[in-house]
Amino acid sequence: MDATSARKERIYSRNEIEGLIADGRTVFILDGRVVKADAWRPFHPGGDKAMMHMVGRDATDEVTALHSAEAKKLMEKYVIGRIEGRWTNFLPPIQGGKFRSREELVRLQQAQRLPSEDTDSSSQDSSEEPSPIFEPVDKETVRRRRQDSAVPELSRSTSSTSVSSLEMEDVPGDPAKYSTTKETKQQIEEDLRKYPRLDSNTQTQIVDKYRLLNQRIKDEGLYNCNYVAYAWEIARYTFLFGMCLFTLHLGWYATSGLFLGLFWHQLVFTAHDAGHMGITHNFHVDTVIGMIIADYLGGLSIGWWKHNHNVHHVVTNSPEHDPDIEHMPFFAISHRFFESLRSTYYDRIMTYDAFARVMIKFQHYLYYPILAFGRFNLYRLSWEFLLLGRGPRKGPAWWHRWFEIAGHVFFWYWFGYELLYKSIPTAWDRFVFVMVSHMITGPLHVQITLSHFAMSTADLGVAESFPQRMLRTTMDVDCPQWLDFFHGGLQFQAIHHLYPRIPRHNLRQTQKLVQNFCDEVDIPYAIYGFVDGNKEVIGRLGDVAKQARILAECQRHIAETGDYH
């Protein structure tokens, strides 16, 4: 055995891994091996934020879901050792986890004169902030959870909610914290009743069956792309763009804009497939396909989308961490946004200010009108990402930024100059063309938000397995098979979140296997019709809006009377 192989076979204790993380190392567990990815982190094509959420965790399922077998093989060069037994997750630093250095752990062990294993056990709590929201509500529950050893795992919250803020429900204080603390506890307790227990045995069984299902999906060829289906996709895109040009020639500018909007709407589905390497399964080929579609034909950055979307896939529906639900001041799908949370993705406070208070009160009425303008915001986010150089500047994706910028220049030439400026004679007709073409993509933004806005935003801690969290925070939309082209695979979001690299034309067939898996592990599988799903979303937005109005009334009462009771 050479020195490199011997190094990779070294067994790391929990203390040693905690010490590495305390030193700022990007360390996670993959298939029982310890990976130290500091050298790769600046060059990761999907951004470093997704990696940061895996620090201290067993990231096997997340990495497997989002990466090809070739990418996983490349990770072997960053393996520094292995662990023994089942890993108990730390709370990552980006989520508030605190870690003690190796020197501190040694001093603690010497001071307490404890064996190494005992120190390891106590160190499990160092990366978490104990929170009473995870404490059982009665003595019987305390006794039961102690018996199955689930209490230490239940206490690992990725929420930034502090002990002091949770205690506000017992003492006079900020009514916002009082209200949100109570609601948070209720949501967590409801999810703990509804979903499988968080003890090690239960979650391990779920993970084992999830991985067996992945192997069955591979064996049945559901990862293989149906290229005939993409031939039909290309025919549809060509027809829509051709109709755009034809009606533009006739001077039917609103109609032309409608066909262009439908063209963009359909293109996004294939860009999504390429972004997940679901077409050729080759990173470079699918990336080029995605950039040509998103940047050159749609004026949007696939690089920005990947950085955003990868984080969404690993911390789905987390108010502090998931950028796909962070839409303040326009939308709040959780009462927790009343606390002016800090977004770890945008690295800023999502302030619940005066403007947000007004918008949130009426968000269920503004949902569709605001989403109709969603494409304009995507332009801003794309240019911000590219101009500020937020993507990797070295490594295999160093050239993506420049290829994307060229794509945006090309897009604004053909769309902004040739189509909009030269082909449409008047300012009013140009305005109509732009508004129709952009607002017709509104249903796409509804489809994107539909599968998550109505689902749980509660945080059950680091003990919860990847498959359970995905199914708890995501729902599918039921529709007849002939309408699959309209939804573009986004109607199977729960399945997609479990296995993101499955080509979308195989998701309907995969759905039956996932439903059987959910029945077997006793995880509720959320599926609604398109209309009912919209009702669920509007209902959630309306509930949060009602809470915002009640909170405003409480604050007004306190301001007028000084009475906190």
Side-chain angles (χ1 to χ4, degrees):
M1 181 183 295
D2 57 27
T4 301
S5 300
R7 177 177 62 85
K8 291 184 177 182
E9 288 301 313
R10 177 190 168 185
I11 298 175
Y12 275 78
S13 70
R14 187 175 181 83
N15 280 354
E16 290 175 312
I17 293 175
E18 181 176 3
L20 287 172
I21 299 173
D23 290 338
R25 305 302 183 188
T26 305
V27 178
F28 57 87
I29 309 302
L30 177 63
D31 293 322
R33 295 174 295 175
V34 182
V35 178
K36 184 164 75 72
D38 300 276
W40 177 245
R41 179 174 155 183
F43 312 129
H44 184 227
D48 68 338
K49 289 290 176 70
M51 295 177 67
M52 292 167 68
H53 285 289
M54 294 297 100
V55 173
R57 296 177 57 94
D58 185 338
T60 301
D61 294 316
E62 289 87 343
V63 170
T64 302
L66 293 167
H67 296 78
S68 64
E70 291 75 16
K72 286 186 66 176
K73 188 172 182 61
L74 288 174
M75 295 180 195
E76 291 181 2
K77 66 186 297 186
Y78 301 103
V79 172
I80 61 173
R82 60 188 178 89
I83 61 169
E84 289 186 329
R86 183 178 183 273
W87 180 256
T88 301
N89 291 330
F90 282 120
L91 181 67
I94 192 174
Q95 297 177 5
K98 305 299 181 183
F99 294 82
R100 295 170 293 185
S101 67
R102 181 62 180 173
E103 291 75 16
E104 290 177 294
L105 291 168
V106 170
R107 286 197 299 269
L108 179 63
Q109 179 182 340
Q110 292 173 344
Q112 296 179 339
R113 296 182 179 179
L114 295 176
S116 177
E117 289 184 1
D118 291 342
T119 308
D120 277 355
S121 176
S122 66
S123 73
Q124 292 179 11
D125 297 328
S126 65
S127 66
E128 69 217 25
E129 184 176 9
S131 173
I133 58 176
F134 293 102
E135 291 300 322
V137 296
D138 55 55
K139 294 181 179 180
E140 174 60 23
T141 309
V142 172
R143 184 188 63 79
R144 185 173 66 251
R145 288 185 181 168
R146 282 177 178 167
Q147 285 178 344
D148 62 29
S149 302
V151 171
E153 295 175 312
L154 285 171
S155 69
R156 292 186 181 88
S157 168
T158 56
S159 166
S160 64
T161 307
S162 66
V163 174
S164 59
S165 68
L166 288 165
E167 291 171 347
M168 295 300 292
E169 66 174 331
D170 297 322
V171 297
D174 186 344
K177 290 182 178 179
Y178 175 92
S179 175
T180 57
T181 297
K182 183 178 180 181
E183 292 290 338
T184 299
K185 291 177 67 175
Q186 290 175 347
Q187 284 191 3
I188 291 172
E189 289 167 0
E190 179 180 351
D191 280 1
L192 289 174
R193 287 192 296 268
K194 186 176 179 181
Y195 290 88
R197 296 155 66 98
L198 299 180
D199 62 277
S200 176
N201 289 338
T202 300
Q203 293 301 309
T204 298
Q205 290 174 8
I206 291 172
V207 168
D208 289 344
K209 291 178 181 179
Y210 164 73
R211 294 175 183 176
L212 286 173
L213 177 57
N214 185 49
Q215 186 59 51
R216 180 179 176 184
I217 289 169
K218 287 181 180 179
D219 294 341
E220 295 191 12
L222 295 176
Y223 276 103
N224 300 330
C225 183
N226 181 358
Y227 292 108
V228 174
Y230 275 107
W232 285 107
E233 299 289 346
I234 293 172
R236 187 183 303 116
Y237 305 155
T238 303
F239 169 77
L240 292 172
F241 193 69
M243 289 300 296
C244 167
L245 296 179
F246 176 68
T247 52
L248 183 68
H249 177 72
L250 295 177
W252 301 351
Y253 303 120
T255 306
S256 178
L258 182 145
F259 279 111
L260 181 60
L262 293 175
F263 172 71
W264 284 334
H265 177 271
Q266 289 289 305
L267 276 181
V268 166
F269 302 142
T270 300
H272 180 260
D273 298 342
H276 280 292
M277 294 180 293
I279 301 177
T280 69
H281 303 302
N282 180 284
F283 170 72
H284 292 291
V285 174
D286 278 358
T287 297
V288 170
I289 293 173
M291 288 190 288
I292 289 173
I293 292 174
D295 296 84
Y296 287 75
L297 300 181
L300 306 177
S301 168
I302 194 73
W304 162 80
W305 175 83
K306 279 189 176 183
H307 280 60
N308 179 288
H309 200 65
N310 287 343
V311 175
H312 164 67
H313 267 270
V314 298
V315 284
T316 309
N317 261 28
S318 171
E320 297 96 337
H321 312 302
D322 182 0
D324 272 17
I325 65 168
E326 294 176 345
H327 301 295
M328 291 289 284
F330 299 104
F331 298 123
I333 67 168
S334 168
H335 57 277
R336 297 213 49 232
F337 286 103
F338 301 161
E339 301 173 23
S340 292
L341 301 176
R342 182 175 188 83
S343 166
T344 58
Y345 180 82
Y346 294 108
D347 195 23
R348 62 175 173 81
I349 301 294
M350 297 176 288
T351 308
Y352 186 57
D353 55 18
F355 181 72
R357 290 186 180 95
V358 174
M359 296 298 294
I360 301 306
K361 288 179 186 177
F362 303 101
Q363 62 178 354
H364 48 310
Y365 299 116
L366 299 172
Y367 175 65
Y368 296 113
I370 289 176
L371 291 187
F373 294 92
R375 191 173 186 86
F376 295 105
N377 187 49
L378 297 184
Y379 290 143
R380 177 188 69 82
L381 292 168
S382 296
W383 274 110
E384 185 179 273
F385 175 82
L386 294 174
L387 292 178
L388 297 179
R390 291 179 174 169
R393 300 190 180 189
K394 295 182 180 180
W398 70 268
W399 55 276
H400 291 183
R401 179 192 181 199
W402 305 108
F403 192 71
E404 286 199 85
I405 289 176
H408 281 249
V409 172
F410 177 79
F411 170 80
W412 287 106
Y413 172 76
W414 75 258
F415 170 71
Y417 180 69
E418 291 289 347
L419 204 67
L420 191 61
Y421 179 72
K422 289 189 66 176
S423 303
I424 301 177
T426 69
W428 173 251
D429 287 332
R430 291 171 189 150
F431 174 77
V432 170
F433 180 84
V434 168
M435 297 309 294
V436 171
S437 62
H438 285 63
M439 294 177 72
I440 205 67
T441 63
L444 172 65
H445 302 285
V446 173
Q447 289 170 299
I448 292 171
T449 60
L450 187 61
S451 294
H452 299 291
F453 270 26
M455 297 301 289
S456 174
T457 58
D459 193 337
L460 300 189
V462 296
E464 185 177 32
S465 63
F466 172 74
Q468 178 167 314
R469 182 183 179 104
M470 294 303 102
L471 290 164
R472 186 173 58 84
T473 57
T474 312
M475 76 175 184
D476 277 354
V477 176
D478 192 23
C479 73
Q481 189 169 354
W482 66 270
L483 264 180
D484 283 354
F485 80 94
F486 174 75
H487 293 283
L490 299 184
Q491 74 273 36
F492 300 115
Q493 278 293 290
I495 303 162
H496 170 70
H497 268 254
L498 290 175
Y499 305 104
R501 292 182 296 108
I502 294 179
R504 63 175 152 117
H505 301 101
N506 296 338
L507 290 175
R508 181 172 287 277
Q509 187 176 347
T510 309
Q511 184 181 47
K512 297 175 183 177
L513 301 178
V514 171
Q515 287 175 321
N516 291 336
F517 162 76
C518 289
D519 291 339
E520 190 175 354
V521 297
D522 200 27
I523 295 179
Y525 173 64
I527 183 168
Y528 295 88
F530 185 71
V531 174
D532 288 338
N534 274 265
K535 289 179 179 178
E536 290 290 319
V537 170
I538 296 300
R540 166 63 63 82
L541 294 174
D543 288 342
V544 178
K546 181 179 179 180
Q547 293 170 14
R549 290 193 294 271
I550 294 173
L551 177 60
E553 288 296 326
C554 292
Q555 291 173 326
R556 187 179 301 110
H557 172 76
I558 291 171
E560 292 174 355
T561 65
D563 183 7
Y564 285 85
H565 298 282

